[in-house]
Amino acid sequence: MIMLVILPVTAFYVMRGHSFDIQKTPYSEKRTTILSMVAVAAIGAYDGFYGPGTGTFLLLLLTAVAYMRLTSANGVAKVINLTTNLTALAVYLLNGKVILILGLTAGCFSIAGNYAGTWFFTRWGAKSVKPLMLVVLVIFFIKICLDLIA
């Protein structure tokens, strides 16, 4: 239910207020580290509780709050996401809750999707991020609505 509020607010923020191709003067490394740690702690709690969209939220927070460049924020978000996913995998493996063939299949498709996304970004740059992010947010919102109806 919370996501029914968070997703439209995030989409509105992306549409109206956040530009990925205008770079602000970055903060000092110390301030960026502190702001990133606070943002990541909040997103980490969300990721542990629910999970989907974590990379998008990390990217938005790192670019908007810490003023990281899009490419740097994207790289940092990937490392954080990988770390949280490996941690979750370890917990689920230890508890015997992993369907390995499903996970490996999904992992292969995730690799293909990440490759396509990286190609898309390197080809069209920062101006392509906003529309693509809005499409993903709308699809995610529709999925949550359908899950609530079913």
Side-chain angles (χ1 to χ4, degrees):
M1 295 300 277
I2 294 170
M3 294 307 290
L4 291 175
V5 175
I6 291 174
L7 290 174
V9 168
T10 303
F12 181 78
Y13 173 73
V14 170
M15 280 187 338
R16 295 283 183 209
H18 198 70
S19 178
F20 290 107
D21 43 5
I22 296 174
Q23 295 299 322
K24 296 182 180 180
T25 304
Y27 290 130
S28 68
E29 187 175 333
K30 181 180 178 181
R31 187 170 184 181
T32 299
T33 301
I34 291 169
L35 287 169
S36 297
M37 288 169 45
V38 171
V40 169
I43 295 298
Y46 164 78
D47 193 26
F49 175 72
Y50 189 61
T54 300
T56 300
F57 297 134
L58 279 168
L59 185 63
L60 288 172
L61 281 172
L62 292 172
T63 56
V65 174
Y67 295 157
M68 292 179 78
R69 295 194 165 281
L70 183 61
T71 51
S72 297
N74 201 14
V76 170
K78 297 294 182 197
V79 171
I80 293 167
N81 228 354
L82 175 64
T83 304
T84 60
N85 288 333
L86 288 175
T87 304
L89 176 61
V91 170
Y92 284 112
L93 279 171
L94 289 172
N95 289 291
K97 304 291 183 188
V98 177
I99 304 170
L100 285 175
I101 191 69
L102 178 61
L104 291 171
T105 303
C108 289
F109 280 93
S110 179
I111 290 168
N114 276 287
Y115 180 79
T118 302
W119 175 84
F120 191 84
F121 178 74
T122 55
R123 175 132 189 204
W124 285 290
K127 67 179 182 259
S128 67
V129 173
K130 190 182 274 192
L132 193 57
M133 193 174 285
L134 288 171
V135 167
V136 170
L137 289 169
V138 168
I139 291 170
F140 189 24
F141 184 78
I142 291 169
K143 186 233 181 270
I144 289 175
C145 289
L146 292 174
D147 288 349
L148 287 173
I149 292 170

